[in-house]
Amino acid sequence: MGCDGVHSVVSQWLGLSEPASSGRSAVRGLAVYPDGHGLKKELRQFLSEGLRAGMVPISDTDVYWFLVNNTVPAEQEAGTDPAKILREVTDNLGRHMPAEYLDVARHSDSGNLSWAPLLYRAPWAILRGPAARGPVTVAGDAFHPMTPDMAQGGCSALEDAVVLARALSRAATPADGVASYVAERRGRAAWLVAGAYLSGWVQQGGTNVRGVRGYMVRLFRDWIFYRFLFPRLADTMWFDCGDLVEPNAEGKTHSE
């Protein structure tokens, strides 16, 4: 079982296509206020052309924040240097963000600051690619890497675990169980990847889209996507992948 992330060695061995760039990158950080931040416990998001930022308190002292940008050369220059990453956010990419957001960024713990490209595997590659060979398969980001725009990466990996364990318990051989698992997971995984990509692309105004096309994408985002489409995408998050152990005739699982 390959659970070795977006650059999975196991997925390469199986012959799955390499993850593709979404054209966007994300800075992620954790701000620390030892004496308390005093912020409301709510998610706040800020949008501008080619940029999306947000922040949400996760405790009385810590605030998670992010900034998603169209990939720029400065990302390579900053590398993994926290000071350079933070300077690029506060002095360049996010300089026009609200003062409250910039204050959160400046309180970042340097050990929890990163800047990385957002990668995904094409939905059709998930639907048709070689995700198993005999008893060997992949799960999580090794199978279906996705952009974080629907916050389903970790959740879908947990779904994988339940479906795989159940499939193996039912099958006559490990290879049969793996084949059943892949068949059951392909459709939902491809849908999540496509939904996450669309959600991020539209909310950010369209990657590298300018002029009239960019205006039309933003119009679609504000008047159609947020009102009608995003609620439907959000419904896919409420997914029941079933019991790990099948209930008996009395409706109870074997562990009850």
Side-chain angles (χ1 to χ4, degrees):
M1 167 60 63
C3 301
D4 46 342
V6 66
H7 299 294
S8 167
V9 173
V10 179
S11 69
Q12 293 173 18
W13 179 80
L14 289 171
L16 282 168
S17 64
E18 286 295 312
S21 170
S22 66
R24 298 179 291 129
S25 299
V27 180
R28 299 178 176 93
L30 183 68
V32 180
Y33 293 78
D35 298 322
H37 48 68
L39 299 173
K40 292 183 179 180
K41 293 185 178 180
E42 60 183 12
L43 170 64
R44 297 182 62 188
Q45 181 169 263
F46 314 97
L47 299 172
S48 66
E49 185 175 352
L51 193 74
R52 184 158 56 98
M55 60 186 193
V56 58
I58 58 175
S59 71
D60 292 334
T61 58
D62 300 338
V63 182
Y64 168 74
W65 65 272
F66 66 87
L67 184 145
V68 182
N69 62 284
N70 291 344
T71 303
V72 294
E75 180 184 335
Q76 294 295 327
E77 298 170 9
T80 57
D81 187 327
K84 291 182 178 179
I85 294 172
L86 186 58
R87 187 162 55 247
E88 184 65 22
V89 170
T90 58
D91 297 352
N92 186 14
L93 293 173
R95 65 184 183 278
H96 57 291
M97 289 292 163
E100 187 176 26
Y101 174 83
L102 293 176
D103 181 72
V104 168
R106 292 188 179 105
H107 276 79
S108 293
D109 176 357
S110 60
N112 289 291
L113 197 60
S114 66
W115 193 4
L118 298 181
L119 306 177
Y120 72 103
R121 177 163 285 123
W124 49 88
I126 295 170
L127 286 171
R128 303 181 63 181
R133 188 189 301 180
V136 179
T137 189
V138 281
D141 281 349
F143 186 8
H144 41 68
M146 64 188 75
T147 60
D149 304 285
M150 287 175 57
Q152 290 298 291
C155 298
S156 60
L158 292 174
E159 293 174 11
D160 289 345
V162 173
V163 173
L164 176 63
R166 186 172 60 228
L168 289 172
S169 70
R170 294 172 175 172
T173 68
D176 290 340
V178 162
S180 176
Y181 152 76
V182 170
E184 183 173 345
R185 292 298 295 161
R186 282 189 193 274
R188 175 163 171 79
W191 168 246
L192 287 174
V193 170
Y197 180 90
L198 176 65
S199 177
W201 190 86
V202 171
Q203 288 186 79
Q204 208 159 310
T207 301
N208 299 323
V209 176
R210 300 289 184 269
V212 175
R213 287 184 62 205
Y215 172 78
M216 294 302 294
V217 171
R218 291 189 290 276
L219 192 67
F220 172 79
R221 176 191 71 197
D222 296 339
W223 290 95
I224 298 176
F225 180 79
Y226 278 140
R227 296 186 180 193
F228 304 108
L229 296 183
F230 188 76
R232 291 182 178 274
L233 288 175
D235 284 344
T236 65
M237 301 177 191
W238 303 101
F239 177 72
D240 184 357
C241 57
D243 295 324
L244 178 61
V245 179
E246 292 182 338
N248 57 27
E250 298 177 352
K252 296 181 179 180
T253 64
H254 296 297
S255 60
E256 292 179 315

